[in-house]
Amino acid sequence: MSGQPKKIAILGGGVGAMTAAFELTSTPERRAAYDVTVYQMGWRLGGKGASGRRMDDGARIEEHGLHVWSGFYDNAIKQMKDCLAELKDANEEAVYHSFEEAFIAHNNIVLGEDEQGGWSFWPLDVETNPATPGSDGVALSAWDYFLELSRYIRDLLAKGPGTLSQSRHPTAVLPKHVATHVAAQTNVDPEHPAAKVPELLHHLAHQLPRQPHKHSGKDLEALRTMTRALHTDVKTARAKAVGGGEALSADKERMQLVLDLGVTAMRGMITDEVALYGFDGIDDREISEWLTMHGARPETVNSPLVRAVYDYAFGFRNGITDPAHRGIGAGTFLHGSLRLFFTYKGSIFFKMRAGMGDTIFTPYYKALRNRGVKFKFFHKVRDLKLDGAGRLIDEIVVDQQATLKNADYDPFVRAANYDCWPSEPLYDQLEEGDALKSQKVRLESSWSDWAPVATHTLKRGTDFDEVVLGISLGALPHVAGDLIAADPAWRKMVERVETVATQAMQLWLKPTSEELGWDHGDRILTAYADAMNTWADMTHLDAAEEWPATDKPGSIAYFCGPLPDVDPLPPFTDTGFPARADADVRENALKWMNDHGPELWPNVFKQDGSGFDESKLISLQTPASGKMWDTQYFRANFEPTERYVLSVPGSTDARLRADRSGFDNLWLAGDWTYTGINAGCVEAAAMSGLRAAAGLTRSPVDIIGEVANPVPGHGHHGSAPDVPMAPVLKTIRPQNSAWPWSSVYGMAQTTGATVMVPFARQTVAAMLPKGLQLAPQTLTGPQEHPVILLFARQRDVRPNQLPFGMNYSEFICAVPWVQHTDPALQDLPPLIVPTRLYLDSLPPILLGIYGYGFPKVRAAMTVDMDTYVIRDPKTDEEIISCSFDRTGPQDAAYKFEMFNQARPGYEMAMVTRNRVGQWQYSVYDFSLGQSLLEPLDMQIRISSDHLGLPRGTIKPPSIAASPFGAVFLTSDATINNPLQSYHLRQVLREKAT
C-alpha cells in the first residue's frame, strides 16, 4: 500500500474491538498502512469484560460478573499469548508477560442438584490433557463430534457395565439386512456372543467416510437403528431397576443422566442429519424441546447437566429463569457443549490471576499504544450516518464526555505491582473532575443527564476511512438507526438476536471456604438456586489485591446470574434507575443468601436463625447504613452495552458476519456476529475481531474452529468436507442434443451482472408456481434458499440458422433447486424455475411466453454501463435496480472457486408451465466452461412486491469470499428448441437414474 495510511476508527473497547486492533497492527507493514484510533466512552477498556479497582477498599477487584476462560478459546488465547510475549520483549513493566503468569488452570466443577430434601452437590473433576492452549487442531465438523460422542459413550459403558445390565444382543435389535451391512463395513460379527450395540455403533461410525454426504442409505439406516436401540436399552435399564424396587445410588443415577443425554444427542444428530446439514440446521428449535422430541427423559432435560449450560450462557429470555423462558437454540447448545467438553486444551477452564481488565485489557492497551494506536477515552458514540447512496458510513457523531487537562489520559492505578483500571475515572486528570465526582456521574451509563462538553462529527475521508464497530448489540438500536432502517438484514438481526440483563455479587469474607462450611474445595458451582445460580471461589485474587494484614480475606466469592428485565424499561431521562437497579440487586441478593446460602455455607449464618452473619464480611469502608452487607459489590447490568447476547432459537442465521456488514467501509467486531460459536463469550468476540480485520485488510484469515467462508445458517463451523449439491446434472447443451433437436436452437450473447442471493425459505417457496416445491440443497442453511438475479443485455438473439438477431435488455429472477410435487415426476433431478422475467422488447416476450411458457413481462428499463433500473411501464414505479463497480480482473468462470459452488444452480434444466397448462422443460446454457466473469462491488435495491422478495437493499459480498458474490457475466448462450420439451424430460429422467 502506498501514499497516506488509511484512517481506521474503532468504536468500542471490548474483546472484539481489541482483537481487531491487534490484528490490524500485527506487522510493521500494517502499522504503516493503517492509522488506528479507538473511541471509548468513559475511562476504561473492556466492554462487558471491564473491571475496576476500588483503591480505598483493599484495591479490591470489581467486575461486571464472573469471568473465566474456557480451554477451547483457541483464538483468544493465541492472540493473548502473542500480546504478552510482545510486552515481555519490550521489557514493559507492571504487566503480565506470559499466559502462565496471567492464568491458572481450573478443572474442578460442581453441579447443584435440587432434590426434595434440599440441595446436593455433584462434583466433576475434569481431566487435564497435554494439548497446548491456543494451538491449532480442533474437531470441527458435526460428524467429528458424533465420533467423539460415540467413543465417549462406549468408554463410559465399558467403565460401568452395570448401567446397561438389561441391554439386548445386537441380533435382537438389528434386522438381518442391517446386521449384514454392519458386518461388511466393520469386519465385526454382530452375531458373536460378545457383540454389543455400543461397540458396533462405534466401529461403524469410525469406518464410515468423514464426508457425511458419502454415507449411503444403508449406513444411515444402520446408524438410526443402533442409536435408537441403544437409547431404548439405556431407558429400559433404569426403568426396570426402579420398577424392581432398586434404590439407585447417586452415582448410578448420575450415570443414567449422562447416558440418556449423550445417547439422545447421538440419536437426534442422526435423525436430523446434523452431520450433513450442520448444527445450524436444528437451531430453529429450543434445546429442551429438541431433547424431548428425541426421547430424553424429563429428568434429563431438567438435570444439572442441562441447566448448567443454561446458567453458563445466561440462557433465559427476559432473564426469567423458568422452563418457559429457556432460550438456547438446539444447534448452538449442542455444538457449544461438545466444543467445550471435547476440544479444550490443557484445562477445561482458566481463571485469571487478577481482574479481567488487569489481565486482558491492560496488556492490550500497552501493546497497542506501543504500536502507535491512539485512544480517545471519554468519547461516546452517539450516531452513525450513511452517505446519500446508503452504502458507506459517512459520519460518526461522538459526544466528548470530559476535557483532559493534559494531551493524553493516563488510565492506570498501581495495585500489587500491576497497572490496573480504577473503578472510577481519575478525576484529577479531568477539567470537570470535581463536578463528575461530586455528582457521582456514571459516564458508562445511558441513564445520565451529564451533558457532553463537546460533540464531534467525524467525517469520512478526513477523520476516518474505515470503521470497525465494536459496540455491543444491545446499543445498536441507539447508535445505528440509519443502518437498521436502510438494510433489512440489520433489522432482522436486531429483532431476532436477543440480549439479557445480568447481575453480579462479590463478597470478601473473613472465614476460608472450608470454615464457611463448604466441603468441596476450590470449585466453580453452577446449576444452583436461581437467580444467583453460579458461584466461583476466587480466593486466589487476594494476591492481586492490597488488604491490610489485619483485614485479609479468608475467601473471596463471586456470584452471578440472569436479571429479569424491567418492563417497561425506564427512559434514559430517569437518571436514578441505575442506582435503584443496583440497590435491588443488593437487597434481593441478601434475600437469596438467606434462602439458599445455608446449604452452601452453613457456618456463616446466625444460630438464632436471623440470617447471614454480616460480621464475617470484610471491607475498609464504614457503611452509612450500618450494614456490612452494603459494603460488598453488587451490580445490575441493564446498560445497552452490558447486556449479554443470547443464542435464542431461530437467531443464528440472522447474525451478520464480521466482514459482511452490508456497508462498504464498515466491519463488525463482537460476539453478536456470526462465528464458529454464535454464543456470548470471549472466543466468539475474538473470532469476530479476527474476521473483521481480515475483511478490512482484504487478507485471508485462519480462524481456529471456523471454516474459511462460513455461511449463516449453513452450520459447518469447521473444516467440514465439501458437500455437493446432489443430485445435480451437467447441463444438456442444445447443440449437442440428438437430431433433429440439434439442428435448430436459439443462441445469443448474454452479458450482465448476476448474483445468487439467499432469502428466507418460506419467502422463496411462496414464489413457486403451483406444482413445484423447493428441493434439498446445501449451499445455504435449511432456513434459506438461493435465488438467482441476472441483470442482462441480450445481443444477437436468434435461431442458429439465421445470420443476425434481436437486441434487448432483460432481468431474470429464477429459483434453482426445485422439484415437482407430483410423485410421478420426482425422479427428475433438481430444476430451476424462472419466476419473473422483465424485458424492454415485445417480440422476445411473445416468443418466450408462447414458445417456452416463460413468465415474461414488459418493463421500462434504464440500462447503462454500471446501472440497471427496472420500472413498471404503466405506473413508473421502480421494481428493482442495481448499480455496480467492476473490481476485476476478468477471468475464466471456472477459475472462480466460490462461483463454482453456485455454478450448478445456473446449469439446471428449466421448468415452466406453458400456455396450455403443461410442464415445459428447456435448457438455457450459459456455456460456463468458456464464459468470462469479472468480480463486482454491487448493490441491489428491491422497491416493489412484484418479485415476491422482501423490499430493501442488498449488498452482496465479494465473490472471492462467498458463492453469493456478484459477478459480471460474458457468455455465448444457447437455448433448446421449444418443441424439445418431452424429449428433454426423458433425457433428464434417464440421466437422473
Side-chain angles (χ1 to χ4, degrees):
M1 185 177 289
S2 60
Q4 293 297 314
K6 274 191 174 183
K7 294 183 178 180
I8 313 299
I10 297 182
L11 311 181
V15 170
M18 293 300 95
T19 301
F22 196 81
E23 188 69 13
L24 285 170
T25 56
S26 58
T27 65
E29 292 77 16
R30 286 189 173 184
R31 292 194 279 277
Y34 301 112
D35 179 5
V36 179
T37 303
V38 176
Y39 294 87
Q40 172 65 50
M41 72 173 177
W43 64 97
R44 57 183 172 178
L45 301 176
K48 293 187 288 289
S51 66
R53 296 300 190 113
R54 177 138 189 185
M55 298 304 292
D56 63 349
D57 201 359
R60 74 185 192 187
I61 298 162
E62 296 178 339
E63 299 270 12
H64 280 71
L66 171 63
H67 297 290
V68 295
W69 283 32
S70 296
F72 73 86
Y73 285 5
D74 296 306
N75 298 283
I77 291 173
K78 183 176 184 294
Q79 191 180 83
M80 186 48 52
K81 284 184 170 182
D82 291 343
C83 180
L84 297 177
E86 188 172 308
L87 294 173
K88 180 180 180 180
D89 291 343
N91 294 315
E92 189 73 42
E93 296 181 349
V95 69
Y96 295 110
H97 284 162
S98 71
F99 180 78
E100 292 70 26
E101 284 184 20
F103 288 85
I104 304 170
H106 187 91
N107 297 283
N108 306 317
I109 305 161
V110 65
L111 306 180
E113 292 186 283
D114 190 5
E115 300 175 338
Q116 290 184 352
W119 286 87
S120 63
F121 300 102
W122 179 355
L124 299 174
D125 296 309
V126 184
E127 294 180 355
T128 59
N129 62 50
T132 302
S135 60
D136 292 342
V138 72
L140 297 173
S141 73
W143 183 246
D144 288 329
Y145 287 116
F146 182 86
L147 296 177
E148 287 292 327
L149 193 53
S150 72
R151 176 193 56 77
Y152 176 78
I153 294 296
R154 181 204 61 175
D155 293 349
L156 190 63
L157 289 170
K159 292 178 182 177
T163 54
L164 270 188
S165 57
Q166 307 297 327
S167 62
R168 297 166 291 171
H169 191 269
T171 55
V173 298
L174 300 183
K176 182 66 176 177
H177 68 282
V178 172
T180 301
H181 179 72
V182 171
Q185 291 289 93
T186 63
N187 293 321
V188 177
D189 182 7
E191 297 184 1
H192 191 279
K196 297 178 181 179
V197 170
E199 288 284 352
L200 286 176
L201 176 59
H202 175 75
H203 280 300
L204 175 63
H206 281 77
Q207 288 299 317
L208 294 179
R210 290 192 67 250
Q211 299 84 3
H213 67 274
K214 294 183 179 179
H215 297 173
S216 69
K218 291 181 179 180
D219 295 333
L220 294 175
E221 181 184 7
L223 291 170
R224 282 194 296 267
T225 301
M226 286 194 284
T227 53
R228 183 171 60 247
L230 179 56
H231 199 192
T232 299
D233 286 349
V234 166
K235 293 194 289 186
T236 299
R238 183 186 184 281
K240 287 188 175 181
V242 173
E246 179 182 346
L248 295 183
S249 66
D251 285 345
K252 279 192 175 182
E253 189 63 76
R254 290 165 181 172
M255 174 79 82
Q256 286 288 337
L257 290 173
V258 172
L259 286 171
D260 189 38
L261 181 60
V263 179
T264 298
M266 293 171 64
R267 183 178 178 181
M269 289 176 74
I270 295 301
T271 300
D272 289 346
E273 296 187 88
V274 173
L276 180 63
Y277 292 106
F279 291 104
D280 291 3
I282 58 171
D283 226 28
D284 57 333
R285 292 189 178 274
E286 211 285 324
I287 182 61
S288 293
E289 173 195 351
W290 187 83
L291 290 170
T292 301
M293 180 177 70
H294 289 293
R297 294 189 295 120
E299 297 91 338
T300 301
V301 177
N302 295 303
S303 71
L305 295 168
V306 174
R307 289 189 296 107
V309 182
Y310 280 106
D311 294 349
Y312 182 58
F314 299 96
F316 299 92
R317 282 175 150 156
N318 305 119
I320 301 172
T321 53
D322 62 23
H325 287 82
R326 289 182 173 185
I328 305 181
T332 298
F333 182 107
L334 192 58
H335 177 245
S337 300
L338 295 170
R339 181 85 183 268
L340 171 69
F341 190 69
F342 287 122
T343 71
Y344 68 86
K345 293 170 182 169
S347 173
I348 192 168
F349 291 118
F350 291 90
K351 290 180 177 178
M352 287 168 276
R353 291 188 186 269
M356 187 158 175
D358 316 330
T359 310
I360 306 303
F361 294 101
T362 294
Y364 265 137
Y365 175 81
K366 291 194 170 195
L368 291 171
R369 277 292 299 261
N370 290 346
R371 291 177 174 189
V373 173
K374 297 182 284 293
F375 288 85
K376 297 284 188 180
F377 291 104
F378 307 102
H379 281 68
K380 183 177 183 179
V381 175
R382 181 199 291 182
D383 203 3
L384 303 178
K385 295 291 188 182
L386 296 175
D387 68 342
R391 298 180 60 178
L392 295 159
I393 304 300
D394 202 42
E395 296 179 346
I396 306 171
V397 182
V398 181
D399 288 336
Q400 183 179 335
Q401 298 172 296
T403 310
L404 300 181
K405 291 181 178 179
N406 301 312
D408 289 318
Y409 180 73
D410 182 359
F412 297 127
V413 292
R414 186 68 61 89
N417 298 317
Y418 288 95
D419 282 341
C420 308
W421 306 87
S423 289
E424 295 179 342
L426 298 176
Y427 297 112
D428 59 346
Q429 297 184 42
L430 306 175
E431 295 287 354
E432 299 81 14
D434 291 342
L436 288 165
K437 184 175 182 179
S438 64
Q439 296 176 36
K440 298 182 179 179
V441 174
R442 296 185 179 221
L443 290 176
E444 295 174 329
S445 178
S446 296
W447 285 273
S448 174
D449 57 1
W450 178 260
V453 298
T455 296
H456 306 285
T457 299
L458 309 180
K459 302 282 189 179
R460 177 173 58 90
T462 302
D463 302 297
F464 68 91
D465 298 300
E466 309 266 353
V467 182
V468 176
L469 180 59
I471 297 172
S472 192
L473 176 68
L476 296 188
H478 306 291
V479 302
D482 275 11
L483 284 63
I484 295 167
D487 192 335
W490 277 73
R491 291 197 296 276
K492 177 181 175 182
M493 179 180 66
V494 298
E495 289 169 2
R496 287 172 51 183
V497 184
E498 299 178 20
T499 62
V500 66
T502 63
Q503 57 185 317
M505 168 174 67
Q506 295 175 211
L507 305 177
W508 291 260
L509 302 110
K510 296 176 183 176
T512 65
S513 295
E514 292 76 12
E515 291 168 345
L516 293 171
W518 175 253
D519 57 5
H520 295 285
D522 175 14
R523 293 187 182 269
I524 297 174
L525 165 69
T526 192
Y528 190 56
D530 294 320
M532 294 289 187
N533 49 40
T534 300
W535 160 54
D537 184 340
M538 302 295 282
T539 307
H540 70 282
L541 294 178
D542 169 61
E545 298 177 340
E546 294 183 337
W547 294 97
T550 55
D551 288 293
K552 289 188 74 65
S555 58
I556 301 173
Y558 284 20
F559 293 83
C560 66
L563 180 60
D565 277 328
V566 176
D567 189 18
L569 201 63
F572 291 155
T573 53
D574 184 357
T575 57
F577 171 65
R580 295 197 307 273
D582 286 347
D584 287 344
V585 169
R586 182 172 63 246
E587 293 174 14
N588 291 331
L590 181 57
K591 182 179 185 304
W592 179 92
M593 180 60 73
N594 285 323
D595 289 343
H596 303 290
E599 299 197 64
L600 295 179
W601 303 336
N603 299 341
V604 78
F605 289 82
K606 297 177 181 178
Q607 293 184 355
D608 62 6
S610 59
F612 184 83
D613 185 355
E614 296 184 26
S615 70
K616 305 296 186 182
L617 296 170
I618 288 177
S619 175
L620 304 183
Q621 305 172 54
T622 301
S625 64
K627 296 181 178 180
M628 282 298 292
W629 187 260
D630 294 348
T631 66
Q632 305 302 289
Y633 187 67
F634 305 90
R635 187 179 185 99
N637 294 310
F638 275 117
E639 295 292 340
T641 55
E642 296 171 351
R643 294 177 66 90
Y644 189 89
V645 179
L646 295 177
S647 305
V648 299
S651 66
T652 295
D653 64 355
R655 291 170 176 253
L656 297 174
R657 250 177 59 170
D659 56 350
R660 303 280 172 79
S661 75
F663 302 98
D664 292 356
N665 64 338
L666 179 65
W667 314 92
L668 312 176
D671 60 7
W672 44 274
T673 65
Y674 186 84
T675 67
I677 295 176
N678 296 321
C681 65
V682 165
E683 179 70 352
M687 296 167 93
S688 178
L690 291 172
R691 190 164 292 281
L696 193 156
T697 59
R698 279 70 173 176
S699 303
V701 62
D702 182 14
I703 298 175
I704 304 170
E706 191 170 281
V707 292
N709 181 43
V711 178
H714 193 291
H716 287 298
H717 299 283
S719 56
D722 292 335
V723 180
M725 311 303 174
V728 173
L729 305 177
K730 290 294 184 181
T731 185
I732 304 166
R733 307 191 71 187
Q735 58 269 45
N736 293 340
S737 298
W739 191 89
W741 311 118
S742 59
S743 61
V744 181
Y745 54 89
M747 57 193 305
Q749 184 187 63
T750 300
T751 60
T754 186
V755 64
M756 186 178 283
V757 182
F759 289 97
R761 185 177 177 84
Q762 66 255 30
T763 297
V764 182
M767 298 164 60
L768 301 184
K770 185 176 180 181
L772 295 179
Q773 63 187 8
L774 298 179
Q777 52 82 35
T778 54
L779 194 62
T780 71
Q783 305 305 314
E784 294 183 312
H785 196 91
V787 175
I788 292 174
L789 305 177
L790 171 58
F791 300 83
R793 287 184 175 184
Q794 305 284 18
R795 294 291 179 266
D796 201 22
V797 181
R798 58 188 173 87
N800 64 310
Q801 304 287 356
L802 296 181
F804 57 87
M806 301 177 287
N807 298 330
Y808 54 89
S809 297
E810 181 174 20
F811 166 75
I812 300 172
C813 177
V815 179
W817 287 285
V818 303
Q819 62 188 19
H820 290 283
T821 58
D822 183 351
L825 296 172
Q826 288 186 350
D827 57 348
L828 297 176
L831 305 164
I832 183 170
V833 58
T835 58
R836 186 59 65 102
L837 297 90
Y838 290 107
L839 294 83
D840 61 357
S841 177
L842 185 58
I845 292 177
L846 296 176
L847 176 61
I849 291 174
Y850 292 101
Y852 296 91
F854 291 157
K856 291 191 172 184
V857 179
R858 187 85 178 257
M861 303 181 70
T862 303
V863 179
D864 58 29
M865 295 300 293
D866 56 11
T867 305
Y868 286 70
V869 181
I870 295 94
R871 299 181 181 276
D872 186 306
K874 296 180 180 178
T875 65
D876 202 40
E877 172 194 8
E878 182 179 304
I879 299 170
I880 189 170
S881 64
C882 80
S883 59
F884 54 84
D885 293 319
R886 303 190 191 207
T887 58
Q890 187 182 61
D891 209 337
Y894 68 85
K895 293 185 178 180
F896 288 79
E897 179 181 350
M898 288 297 168
F899 181 79
N900 285 332
Q901 296 182 30
R903 177 173 170 173
Y906 288 83
E907 296 189 317
M908 295 173 180
M910 285 192 290
V911 60
T912 51
R913 275 203 189 273
N914 60 27
R915 300 295 289 179
V916 295
Q918 296 177 330
W919 292 117
Q920 178 124 354
Y921 301 92
S922 54
V923 173
Y924 194 94
D925 178 22
F926 290 104
S927 301
L928 291 176
Q930 292 79 42
S931 297
L932 298 175
L933 300 181
E934 185 172 0
L936 297 181
D937 182 1
M938 185 182 193
Q939 180 165 297
I940 302 166
R941 182 173 62 215
I942 301 173
S943 307
S944 164
D945 299 326
H946 290 10
L947 298 172
L949 297 172
R951 299 187 186 207
T953 301
I954 300 168
K955 181 70 171 64
S958 166
I959 193 64
S962 169
F964 303 118
V967 293
F968 193 90
L969 169 69
T970 301
S971 72
D972 291 315
T974 56
I975 189 169
N976 66 283
N977 188 314
L979 300 177
Q980 193 185 352
S981 176
Y982 179 78
H983 173 257
L984 277 176
R985 190 177 77 179
Q986 295 303 111
V987 172
L988 290 168
R989 179 166 281 149
E990 290 168 6
K991 287 183 176 289
T993 57

